[in-house]
């Protein structure tokens, strides 16, 4: 008998319990593991070799978790920024300069964590509803799930004039009805990019402040000093200050994008400020999507691809800008569409059992030995 891997309960109650948790590595890990299990369940519904948005979501959440806990840094830097605590910005130092760095780190950690959980609060229930819509035992349950998914998708604000979740899960439904493997794969990619567009729209209020944290902290101190000068001088200096702040802000965002922002998946760390590279030993564009023929994919790539189908120049220059992020993400999704490493579990069975125990300790009603299906 094949042993089943350890798993979290994934249902509306568990999702709500995770969302209600305070920021920290535990919540981040629970988000990541839940995404992984949803990715597996959605993949079983869709079939085929293409990965889905929840696979990408798993490793995006993993990457955020490693950034906010300082695990992407060297041990020396992590000790300085995190110390014995759980997240960036929780260390304690005697020197003022160190305290300022801590303040910046704390803002980055807070905004990345809150952006991650905001996306999860929308995408996890929608993914669960999609799975139930196609796998529930009774017709009534499937109909209820379809209604739930439609409500979740339609309640989201339009992104660039389009209901992205409706388009994304609609492409997945179309893929299920498609017998041609090439068209099926292209529909799965189209759905993932549409969901990515929704995800990035929800992240916008969190990404920009996180990237600008250094400038914000520095100019807050300057502003405090200006507030103590005569009123006329403040007004004159304010105009100059705004121009300087805008220029510094743009430069800071670009430096952060180039030097700090990374995406980690099994066996690979990608820098968002560089063009998406091909998987080692493979072409940048998987054969199934080399010639887009499905209207849904043609349309969404035309919307977000600025490289005219080449992938050259897709790197993000300023991750704080929505269009800049989507240009990189569209090519990342395309290039990794059949990368089976994305299906790998982010945690060991033992780690998952610890996470499940933490959910129970947080108040979720569940037998310690039960593993409810998605």
């Amino acid at each position: 008998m094949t042993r089943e891997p350890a798993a979290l309960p994934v249902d509306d109650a568990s999702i709500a319990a995770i969302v209600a948790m305070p920021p920290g590595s535990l919540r981040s890990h629970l988000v990541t593991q839940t995404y992984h299990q949803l990715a597996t369940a959605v993949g079983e519904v869709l079939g085929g070799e293409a990965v889905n948005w929840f696979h990408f979501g798993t490793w995006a959440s993993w990457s955020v978790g490693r950034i906010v806990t300082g695990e992407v840094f060297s041990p020396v830097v992590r000790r300085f920024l995190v110390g014995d605590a759980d997240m960036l910005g929780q260390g304690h130092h005697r020197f003022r300069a160190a305290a300022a760095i801590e303040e910046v780190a704390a803002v980055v950690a807070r905004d990345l964590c809150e952006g991650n959980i905001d996306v999860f609060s929308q995408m996890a229930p929608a993914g669960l509803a999609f799975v139930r819509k196609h796998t529930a035992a009774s017709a009534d349950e499937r109909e209820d799930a379809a209604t739930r998914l439609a409500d979740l998708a339609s309640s989201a604000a339009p992104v660039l004039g389009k209901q992205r979740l409706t388009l994304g899960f609609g492409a997945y439904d179309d893929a299920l009805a498609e017998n041609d493997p090439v068209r099926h794969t292209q529909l799965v990619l189209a759905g993932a990019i549409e969901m990515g567009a929704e995800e990035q729209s929800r992240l916008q209020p969190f990404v920009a402040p996180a990237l600008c944290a250094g400038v914000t902290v520095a100019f807050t101190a300057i502003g405090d000093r200006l507030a103590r000068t005569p009123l006329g001088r403040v007004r004159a200096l304010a105009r100059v200050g705004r121009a300087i702040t805008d220029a510094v802000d743009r430069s800071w965002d670009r430096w952060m994008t180039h030097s700090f922002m990374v995406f980690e998946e099994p066996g690979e760390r990608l820098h968002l400020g560089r063009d998406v590279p091909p998987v080692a030993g493979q072409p940048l564009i998987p054969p199934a999507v080399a010639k887009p023929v499905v209207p849904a994919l043609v349309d969404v790539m035309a919307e977000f691809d600025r490289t005219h189908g080449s992938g050259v120049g897709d790197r993000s220059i300023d991750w704080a800008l929505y269009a800049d992020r989507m240009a990189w993400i569209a090519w990342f999704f395309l290039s990794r569409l059949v990368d089976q490493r994305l299906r790998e579990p982010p945690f060991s069975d033992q780690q998952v059992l610890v996470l499940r125990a933490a959910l129970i300790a947080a108040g979720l009603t569940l037998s310690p030995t039960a593993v409810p299906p998605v």
Side-chain angles (χ1 to χ4, degrees):
M1 178 181 293
T2 301
R3 182 179 60 84
E4 291 296 324
L8 296 180
V10 178
D11 55 22
D12 293 323
S14 70
I15 291 169
I18 294 169
V19 171
M21 286 182 170
S25 60
L26 173 60
R27 189 178 75 177
S28 177
H29 292 166
L30 287 166
V31 168
T32 300
Q33 178 62 24
T34 300
Y35 273 153
H36 167 67
Q37 291 179 215
L38 285 169
T40 300
V42 171
E44 290 174 352
V45 170
L46 291 174
E49 64 176 353
V51 298
N52 59 70
W53 181 89
F54 291 92
H55 289 108
F56 295 117
T58 297
W59 295 102
S61 178
W62 169 269
S63 300
V64 168
R66 286 178 57 79
I67 290 172
V68 301
T69 58
E71 294 171 82
V72 296
F73 302 117
S74 69
V76 172
V77 174
R78 189 175 189 277
R79 278 197 300 273
F80 176 74
L81 293 175
V82 181
D84 296 329
D86 187 54
M87 292 173 60
L88 295 176
Q90 293 181 342
H92 299 283
H93 303 281
R94 291 181 299 169
F95 303 105
R96 184 171 181 178
I101 294 172
E102 286 278 351
E103 187 177 353
V104 172
V107 173
V108 171
R110 180 200 66 205
D111 288 330
L112 291 180
C113 281
E114 292 312 304
N116 193 34
I117 201 66
D118 186 73
V119 171
F120 177 79
S121 70
Q122 179 191 46
M123 297 300 293
L128 181 62
F130 176 80
V131 173
R132 287 174 170 168
K133 172 183 172 180
H134 293 286
T135 63
S138 71
D140 286 346
E141 289 175 313
R142 294 193 295 273
E143 184 176 348
D144 288 346
T147 300
R148 167 75 166 152
L149 178 57
D151 289 344
L152 288 167
S154 63
S155 66
V159 178
L160 300 180
K162 299 178 181 179
Q163 295 290 153
R164 299 294 174 169
L165 285 189
T166 299
L167 291 172
F169 285 107
Y172 282 3
D173 282 335
D174 291 343
L176 283 169
E178 182 58 66
N179 294 320
D180 179 81
V182 169
R183 293 179 65 86
H184 177 279
T185 299
Q186 292 191 10
L187 284 164
V188 174
L189 174 59
I193 297 174
E194 293 288 5
M195 293 181 203
E198 172 68 23
E199 166 205 13
Q200 292 303 316
S201 177
R202 289 187 73 93
L203 284 175
Q204 186 62 31
F206 304 97
V207 172
L211 285 181
C212 298
V215 176
T216 300
V217 170
F219 278 83
T220 296
I222 295 173
D224 290 342
R225 292 184 181 182
L226 289 176
R228 294 192 291 269
T229 65
L231 183 59
R233 290 176 58 194
V234 170
R235 288 173 177 169
L237 288 171
R239 288 192 293 272
V240 177
R242 280 194 294 269
I244 294 173
T245 300
D246 289 344
V248 172
D249 185 38
R250 288 192 296 271
S251 297
W252 176 270
D253 288 351
R254 293 181 178 191
W255 178 81
M256 287 284 286
T257 299
H258 180 75
S259 305
F260 184 70
M261 301 302 291
V262 297
F263 184 98
E264 293 192 339
E265 61 172 308
E268 190 171 43
R269 173 184 284 187
L270 300 179
H271 290 265
L272 310 184
R274 304 173 190 171
D275 282 2
V276 176
V279 175
Q282 299 182 27
L284 176 64
I285 304 174
V289 292
K291 295 181 179 180
V293 294
V294 172
L297 180 59
V298 173
D299 290 347
V300 78
M301 286 301 293
E303 192 172 10
F304 296 118
D305 175 27
R306 63 188 179 198
T307 73
H308 306 291
S310 70
V312 177
D314 61 37
R315 67 185 179 278
S316 177
I317 298 169
D318 184 349
W319 197 251
L321 302 177
Y322 177 81
D324 206 56
R325 295 200 302 278
M326 282 306 304
W328 190 91
I329 286 168
W331 273 95
F332 172 62
F333 283 12
L334 185 153
S335 68
R336 298 312 189 265
L337 181 62
V338 292
D339 185 352
Q340 300 307 305
R341 294 176 299 178
L342 291 166
R343 299 182 186 271
E344 293 183 18
F347 303 109
S348 69
D349 282 2
Q350 186 57 44
Q351 289 173 314
V352 175
L353 290 174
V354 171
L355 292 175
R356 191 173 67 183
L359 261 183
I360 297 169
L364 188 70
T365 302
L366 174 71
S367 165
T369 59
V371 186
V374 171

